[in-house]
Amino acid sequence: MNTRAMETQNVQTDALTRTTPVYCRVPAADIYETGDAYVLMLDLPGARKESISLTLEKGELRVKAENDRTDPAEGMLFFSDVPPGAYTRVFSLGEGINLANVDARFENGVLTVKLYKNEERKPREITIH
Amino acid sequence: MSLVRRNTANDLMTFPSGILTMQREINNLFDSFFRGSVEDSGLITTAWNPAVDITEQDLTFVVKVELPGVPREDVRITIQDNMLTIRGEKKQEKETKGTNFHRTERSYGSFQRSFSLPSSVKADAIEAKYADGVLSITLPKAEEAKRKEIEVKVR
């Protein structure tokens, strides 16, 4: 019984003093505007398409992806400047985006998200009478 | 206070060159351990430094270079005297030229990185593949460089 109490205590101590850092990596982004849409381009090198999650919630666009970084078990990592951690970034969206119409594609490690503007935001010609 | 023209499409390219140079100098400092050639001592201007991981295994070296958005035909890999050089150019997408940019954090332009490998490799058996924005180069070690296990008898 004594041993069991010790074990429980150990677990708790472990949880409190856990020092393993949780890394996250903020991917670089380009955002540009075209006549009918806002286009977001994110560098996600090493991410597999299946691991990318893109969620729209409460006016925020949340991007998460696993980074298929070199596994130290593959060999001795003797040079590295690839930052550790999974990709994560949140963008707050302004008014005037048609949330029902969002396009996303992933090619060569770049995620391109096209957020179409609402009708009233699109540039339009005014006819002069 | 003065007005500075903001060239949104090419922020990184027109960034005060002093800062780019300083960044390169610092990168060179960290890389110097693995570098050695004169042509790679910072005299060549590169716009960005792609991140690299190098692992050593018993029979191979594996070099992984992060090149998101760089088409494989724009990358050149050369090896000379155990000096591996990866160079290329990341061009801005044609469709984005002249559009209204709100943010430009991604890097564009030419890049070059060189690494001197700690032992000789079979230059004719080097393989490279590109997937999901990562270039993986596998360099098999030359026979004499492979780790040999030698048992030493204690007398």
Side-chain angles (χ1 to χ4, degrees), chain B residues 113-146:
Chain B
R113 292 203 75 168
S114 291
F115 298 90
S116 95
L117 300 164
S119 62
S120 49
V121 294
K122 283 184 198 157
D124 53 349
I126 297 169
E127 279 180 33
K129 62 183 169 75
Y130 181 80
D132 293 335
V134 177
L135 176 75
S136 301
I137 310 165
T138 307
L139 307 107
K141 291 182 187 174
E143 283 304 321
E144 70 269 16
K146 286 179 188 168

Side-chain angles (χ1 to χ4, degrees), chain A residues 98-117:
Chain A
N98 180 2
L99 296 178
N101 194 2
V102 180
D103 263 356
R105 65 190 161 93
F106 185 62
E107 198 182 14
N108 286 348
V110 182
L111 177 73
T112 307
V113 185
K114 208 165 182 183
L115 301 143
Y116 289 94
K117 295 180 191 175

Side-chain angles (χ1 to χ4, degrees), chain A residues 107-108, chain B residues 67 69-77 87-91 111 130 135:
Chain A
E107 198 182 14
N108 286 348
Chain B
L67 297 172
V70 182
R72 66 189 74 200
E73 53 274 14
D74 290 353
V75 183
R76 276 190 63 208
I77 307 161
R87 60 165 74 88
E89 196 183 348
K90 181 163 161 185
K91 294 170 188 132
F111 60 86
Y130 181 80
L135 176 75

Side-chain angles (χ1 to χ4, degrees), chain A residues 32-43:
Chain A
Y32 64 89
E33 189 179 345
T34 64
D36 63 344
Y38 296 97
V39 183
L40 164 70
M41 292 177 90
L42 274 170
D43 277 347

